[in-house]
């Protein structure tokens, strides 16, 4: 069950688990100019995060797609998110075209608390969007903002998963915190929410939300890899806790903006599977393929 040694090894490893590919719910593709800005931000990571963050897949878009496909990623959610008003609808247009052009990219959308949000999210849902992304720290908005109430309601009714970065890691924001997002869930308990990074570093609060709300999930993005373990380690009983909610964990990676290779994330997940008898290979099939495929309607 030991994970893949390197990216070259990934596709064969996944086939060995009895699945023909991976489904990744947390990947980023962006318009080139915006991606260049994101990479410039990571270049200055020492200033922002106090440590270097060398982006591992700093490649042209075609090569990034080829890297995913070469590892047997059969479907992925390309996530976009705005940092200011007036930007979400433009990003939604870009990502719609991207998903039309790349058949393994699931159509996604994003939003910002602004008067037009309900209208463009409704349009996005009608156009067949199967996942949305919200970044509370980068967007610096309160997810309880009145402009978003109708949006959360629509998403809950549609059963479309919302990948929500609402934790304090790696940076705290004015409105981050799983307690804040918990209020949104109390108002919209049917929301299919995916807590990005498993709520890092508030893992306890994340498990609590998963227990309280039957449609809340955790994504594995950057969780348990050596890079993150150095400053936001998972609790010692991590694998045992996963065993209680095993069907609510989904593969996410933050590809391509990670400071290590894709296989590293898979090795971390394989390590959890190995650490508790209740997990094992069936957990890997569920996390790496079956549950994200169900959420994304792949
Ligand atoms: Zn991300």
């Amino acid at each position: 069950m030991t994970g893949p040694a390197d990216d070259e090894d990934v596709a064969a490893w996944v086939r060995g688990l009895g699945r023909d590919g991976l489904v990744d719910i947390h990947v980023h593709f962006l318009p080139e100019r915006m991606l260049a800005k994101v990479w410039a931000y990571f270049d200055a990571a020492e200033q922002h995060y106090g440590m270097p963050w060398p982006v591992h897949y700093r490649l042209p878009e075609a090569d990034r797609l080829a890297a995913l496909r070469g590892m047997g990623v059969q479907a992925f959610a390309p996530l976009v998110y705005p940092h200011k008003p007036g930007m979400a609808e433009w990003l939604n247009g870009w990502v719609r075209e991207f998903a039309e052009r790349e058949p393994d990219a699931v159509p996604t959308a994003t939003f910002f608390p602004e008067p037009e949000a309900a209208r463009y999210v409704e349009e996005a849902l009608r156009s067949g969007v199967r996942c949305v992304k919200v970044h509370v720290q980068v967007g610096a908005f309160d997810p309880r903002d009145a402009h978003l109430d109708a949006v959360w309601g629509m998403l809950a009714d549609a059963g479309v998963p919302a990948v929500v970065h609402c934790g304090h890691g790696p940076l705290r924001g004015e409105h981050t915190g799983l307690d804040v997002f918990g209020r949104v869930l109390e108002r919209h308990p049917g929301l299919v929410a995916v807590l990005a990074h498993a709520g890092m570093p508030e893992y306890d609060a994340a498990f609590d939300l998963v227990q309280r709300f039957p449609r809340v999930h955790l994504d594995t993005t950057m969780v348990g890899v050596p890079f993150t373990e150095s400053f936001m380690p998972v609790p010692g009983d991590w694998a045992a806790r996963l065993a209680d909610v095993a069907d609510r964990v989904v593969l996410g990676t933050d590809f391509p903006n990670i400071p290590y290779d894709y296989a590293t994330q898979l090795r971390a997940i394989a390590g959890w599977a190995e650490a508790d008898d209740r997990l094992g290979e069936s957990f890997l099939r569920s996390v790496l393929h079956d549950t994200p495929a169900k959420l994304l309607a792949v």
Side-chain angles (χ1 to χ4, degrees):
M1 217 180 311
T2 334
D6 54 32
D7 287 2
E8 306 254 285
D9 201 23
V10 170
W13 178 72
V14 175
R15 280 196 302 274
L17 295 168
R19 289 296 177 270
D20 50 8
L22 298 162
V23 179
D24 189 335
I25 205 166
H26 192 145
V27 163
H28 296 291
F29 279 88
L30 284 171
E32 285 300 320
R33 278 180 53 201
M34 213 179 145
L35 188 62
K37 284 185 190 163
V38 170
W39 286 348
Y41 183 88
F42 285 118
D43 286 342
E46 266 171 294
Q47 182 186 324
H48 302 299
Y49 300 119
M51 63 191 144
W53 191 305
V55 171
H56 191 83
Y57 299 96
R58 196 170 186 141
L59 302 166
E61 186 178 277
D63 295 353
R64 278 178 268 127
L65 284 163
L68 285 176
R69 289 165 184 160
M71 293 183 290
V73 176
Q74 64 180 84
F76 61 90
L79 304 178
V80 297
Y81 48 88
H83 60 273
K84 58 182 184 195
M87 190 180 177
E89 195 171 8
W90 169 74
L91 280 170
N92 290 349
W94 182 86
V95 78
R96 182 183 311 133
E97 278 175 27
F98 176 82
E100 275 165 14
R101 160 171 107 230
E102 309 298 343
D104 38 1
V106 168
T108 72
T110 190
F111 53 87
F112 194 85
E114 52 197 345
E116 309 79 14
R119 177 194 45 81
Y120 63 69
V121 171
E122 189 182 10
E123 283 169 11
L125 290 172
R126 223 179 310 120
S127 81
V129 153
R130 306 211 299 272
C131 183
V132 303
K133 170 70 189 274
V134 178
H135 203 308
V136 169
Q137 184 259 321
V138 168
F141 59 79
D142 190 324
R144 297 166 299 186
D145 190 288
H147 285 118
L148 297 183
D149 197 45
V151 171
W152 296 123
M154 267 188 263
L155 293 169
D157 291 346
V160 165
V163 178
V164 184
H165 183 132
C166 55
H168 294 309
L171 291 181
R172 214 170 242 276
E174 201 184 333
H175 306 286
T176 55
L178 268 63
D179 53 338
V180 176
F181 190 66
R183 299 280 174 242
V184 174
L185 288 167
E186 281 163 13
R187 224 175 125 64
H188 301 281
L191 187 67
V192 182
V194 178
L195 302 176
H197 312 283
M200 178 189 300
E202 296 177 274
Y203 300 115
D204 291 344
F207 279 106
D208 182 53
L209 292 178
V210 172
Q211 305 276 9
R212 283 172 63 203
F213 300 99
R215 300 173 92 184
V216 171
H217 298 69
L218 306 174
D219 91 22
T220 64
T221 307
M222 299 193 75
V223 179
V225 297
F227 178 80
T228 318
E229 284 295 284
S230 66
F231 61 100
M232 285 184 184
V234 296
D237 59 348
W238 181 250
R241 291 210 204 176
L242 288 178
D244 297 333
V245 297
D247 59 346
R248 256 122 31 92
V249 185
V250 291
L251 174 65
T253 59
D254 254 345
F255 176 94
N257 302 327
I258 35 179
Y260 47 79
D261 69 5
Y262 200 89
T264 296
Q265 181 72 67
L266 299 177
R267 280 197 303 279
I269 300 168
W272 310 334
E274 211 159 15
D276 191 292
D277 288 344
R278 292 172 294 166
L279 295 175
E281 285 197 8
S282 68
F283 175 75
L284 293 177
R285 285 187 283 272
S286 165
V287 173
L288 302 179
H289 181 277
D290 301 357
T291 309
K294 190 177 73 184
L295 288 190
L296 296 175
V298 170

